């Protein structure tokens, strides 16, 4: 009796292994026979769950497991189907991102190539030459910015994004970021209003370049989604040991169903506006590394408000548990390189 049981277990194992191999090579019907009728599982649904899992692992996120009963297996079927739906959504967002990046890269490359060929032919006036060179320089800078954004995203994904922290005046960096967009706002017939704080704000420990990157990304988005004649208003204030920067626009706003996803990687609520869908995800990561936050509030047709929050240096020193980085920044060190804590 014991020998027969061992033989049966050996046959079940062999059938299971062979079934998996057949499934991985595309022989799903034969695999189903080996797995279910071969005695590996107590019923056909269990074997079907395994096969659907194999399909999902191979990248088919449209498959669904048929739920037969409201029992443990039924709950497992629901979980697998939910997982497949989430993976399918993520796959679509990734593909949309690749398509968007390809388009974003192609546009400046086309402009650079076109003007380079025009200038190469010679025989053009000084005004046309200067115009062409300005386009080439501007589009090259745009390409450089996109590549840097992609590199930041790669660092974020691999947990290698680092900050170089030092004591800074946040308002000085915000002033510079707003000033960068003054001419653009005027050219696009949009109102960019900066409500400058009369009093000095407490110093923070921050990465100058990274914080400027966050401000530029958010202000750029605000102008991008605001129609001519609309307004983008920037302000900052200190409250209970935190500095809050408010960037509010009168643009098109974000539909309620899209709002929970706007900070997710690859996500674009509006596919008709330029952008690759990773800028806000990177900005959010930068703020979390600063032990701060980036919150988005919006109403469709009414505009969007972004609130950037960061603790003051004193607040962080008195409450080290607020830090999201591997080191607790202190005022005594002029420069510190920090990275995110590992969960």
């Amino acid at each position: 009796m014991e020998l027969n049981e061992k033989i049966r277990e050996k046959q079940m194992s062999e059938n299971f292994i062979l079934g998996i191999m057949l499934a991985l090579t595309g022989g799903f019907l034969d695999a189903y026979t080996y797995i279910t009728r071969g005695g590996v599982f107590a019923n056909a649904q269990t074997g079907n769950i395994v096969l659907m899992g194999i399909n999902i692992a191979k990248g088919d996120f449209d498959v669904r497991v048929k739920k037969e009963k409201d029992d443990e297996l039924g709950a497992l079927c629901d979980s697998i189907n939910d997982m497949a739906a989430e993976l399918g959504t993520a796959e679509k967002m990734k593909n949309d991102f690749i398509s968007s990046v390809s388009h974003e890269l192609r546009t400046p490359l086309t402009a650079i190539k076109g003007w380079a060929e025009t200038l190469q032919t010679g025989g053009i006036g000084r005004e046309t030459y200067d115009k062409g060179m300005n386009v080439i320089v501007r589009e090259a800078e745009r390409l450089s910015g996109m590549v840097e954004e992609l590199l930041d995203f790669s660092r974020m994904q691999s947990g290698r994004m680092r900050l170089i922290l030092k004591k800074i005046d946040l308002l000085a960096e915000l002033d510079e970021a707003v000033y960068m967009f003054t001419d653009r706002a005027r050219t696009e017939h949009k109102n960019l209003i900066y409500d400058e704080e009369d009093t000095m704000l407490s110093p923070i420990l921050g990465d100058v370049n990274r914080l400027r990157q966050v401000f530029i990304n958010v202000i750029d988005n605000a102008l991008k989604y605001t129609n001519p004649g609309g307004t983008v208003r920037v302000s900052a204030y200190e409250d209970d040991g935190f500095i809050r920067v408010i960037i509010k626009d009168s643009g098109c706003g974000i539909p309620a169903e899209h709002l929970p996803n706007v900070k997710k990687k690859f996500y674009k609520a509006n596919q008709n506006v330029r952008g690759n869908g990773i800028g806000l995800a990177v900005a959010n990561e930068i703020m979390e590394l600063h032990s701060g936050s980036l919150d988005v509030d919006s109403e469709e047709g009414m505009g969007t408000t972004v609130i950037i929050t960061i603790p003051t240096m004193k607040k962080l020193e008195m409450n080290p548990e607020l830090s999201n980085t591997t080191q607790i920044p202190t005022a005594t060190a002029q420069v510190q390189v920090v990275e995110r804590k590992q969960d």
Side-chain angles (χ1 to χ4, degrees):
M1 187 72 178
E2 185 177 342
L3 179 61
N4 289 338
E5 187 65 26
K6 287 184 177 180
I7 292 173
R8 183 175 178 278
E9 288 178 0
K10 183 175 182 295
Q11 289 175 339
M12 288 171 62
S13 298
E14 290 174 349
N15 285 335
F16 179 74
I17 293 171
L18 185 55
I20 296 295
M21 291 175 65
L22 285 168
L24 290 172
T25 56
F28 295 110
L29 290 176
D30 290 335
Y32 185 87
T33 301
Y34 273 99
I35 291 178
T36 58
R37 299 179 187 175
V40 177
F41 300 109
N43 55 57
Q45 185 174 18
T46 312
N48 190 40
I49 290 172
V50 172
L51 288 179
M52 293 305 100
I54 293 171
N55 282 352
I56 293 170
K58 293 181 68 177
D60 184 359
F61 305 127
D62 294 325
V63 298
R64 296 294 182 269
V65 182
K66 185 179 179 181
K67 180 178 175 180
E68 296 181 0
K69 295 180 180 179
D70 288 323
D71 54 8
E72 290 86 351
L73 280 179
L76 179 60
C77 290
D78 289 338
S79 297
I80 291 175
N81 289 337
D82 290 344
M83 177 186 69
E86 287 289 330
L87 289 172
T89 300
E91 181 72 9
K92 182 181 184 304
M93 288 169 61
K94 185 190 75 173
N95 291 336
D96 289 345
F97 165 74
I98 293 172
S99 175
S100 175
V101 168
S102 299
H103 176 74
E104 288 283 312
L105 292 173
R106 187 184 301 116
T107 302
L109 284 173
T110 301
I112 291 171
K113 183 174 183 292
W115 273 106
E117 290 174 345
T118 300
L119 297 177
Q120 194 175 38
T121 58
I124 58 176
R126 184 67 193 183
E127 183 179 349
T128 303
Y129 177 85
D130 290 341
K131 181 180 179 181
M133 289 302 297
N134 286 335
V135 170
I136 290 173
V137 171
R138 185 176 66 248
E139 294 302 314
E141 289 175 348
R142 183 179 165 194
L143 272 176
S144 178
M146 283 190 283
V147 171
E148 190 59 38
E149 195 171 61
L150 290 171
L151 288 173
D152 278 343
F153 179 72
S154 175
R155 296 184 191 108
M156 183 184 80
Q157 287 293 91
S158 61
R160 292 184 292 107
M161 181 175 283
R162 295 183 175 185
L163 303 180
I164 301 176
L165 298 180
K166 61 180 180 179
K167 180 181 176 181
I168 63 171
D169 176 7
L170 189 66
L171 283 184
E173 305 312 318
L174 182 60
D175 289 349
E176 187 169 331
V178 173
Y179 180 75
M180 286 177 59
F181 288 95
T182 303
D183 287 340
R184 172 181 160 185
R186 188 182 300 111
T187 302
E188 296 178 358
H189 306 290
K190 300 170 185 178
N191 302 304
L192 177 57
I193 301 173
Y194 179 32
D195 297 325
E196 296 189 54
E197 186 71 14
D198 293 331
T199 58
M200 289 286 294
L201 301 183
S202 299
I204 67 162
L205 279 164
D207 186 313
V208 172
N209 293 325
R210 292 301 186 186
L211 288 172
R212 190 181 303 150
Q213 179 181 346
V214 172
F215 296 149
I216 288 172
N217 178 272
V218 177
I219 297 173
D220 176 62
N221 281 341
L223 287 170
K224 189 191 306 180
Y225 290 100
T226 298
N227 293 325
T231 300
V232 175
R233 185 178 292 272
V234 181
S235 61
Y237 66 93
E238 185 173 340
D239 177 42
D240 192 27
F242 291 91
I243 294 177
R244 290 183 172 86
V245 176
I246 316 295
I247 299 170
K248 183 176 183 179
D249 67 63
S250 61
C252 59
I254 303 170
E257 64 270 21
H258 292 296
L259 196 55
N261 301 312
V262 292
K263 293 191 289 184
K264 292 182 179 179
K265 58 185 180 183
F266 308 141
Y267 196 85
K268 284 184 68 178
N270 190 336
Q271 298 295 330
N272 298 320
V273 178
R274 62 178 175 82
N276 51 37
I278 64 174
L280 206 57
V282 171
N284 185 61
E285 174 72 7
I286 291 171
M287 291 315 303
E288 289 186 356
L289 279 170
H290 278 88
S291 305
S293 63
L294 188 152
D295 300 299
V296 182
D297 185 29
S298 185
E299 184 177 348
E300 190 172 11
M302 299 297 292
T304 300
T305 301
V306 177
I307 304 173
I308 299 167
T309 304
I310 188 168
T312 63
M313 188 167 62
K314 184 177 180 180
K315 182 77 170 181
L316 204 54
E317 288 176 345
M318 294 178 63
N319 300 271
E321 70 278 2
L322 294 175
S323 178
N324 288 331
T325 56
T326 51
Q327 296 173 255
I328 305 299
T330 63
T332 55
Q334 285 189 325
V335 177
Q336 291 189 357
V337 179
V338 299
E339 58 187 14
R340 179 182 282 280
K341 287 178 182 175
Q342 296 300 316
D343 297 329

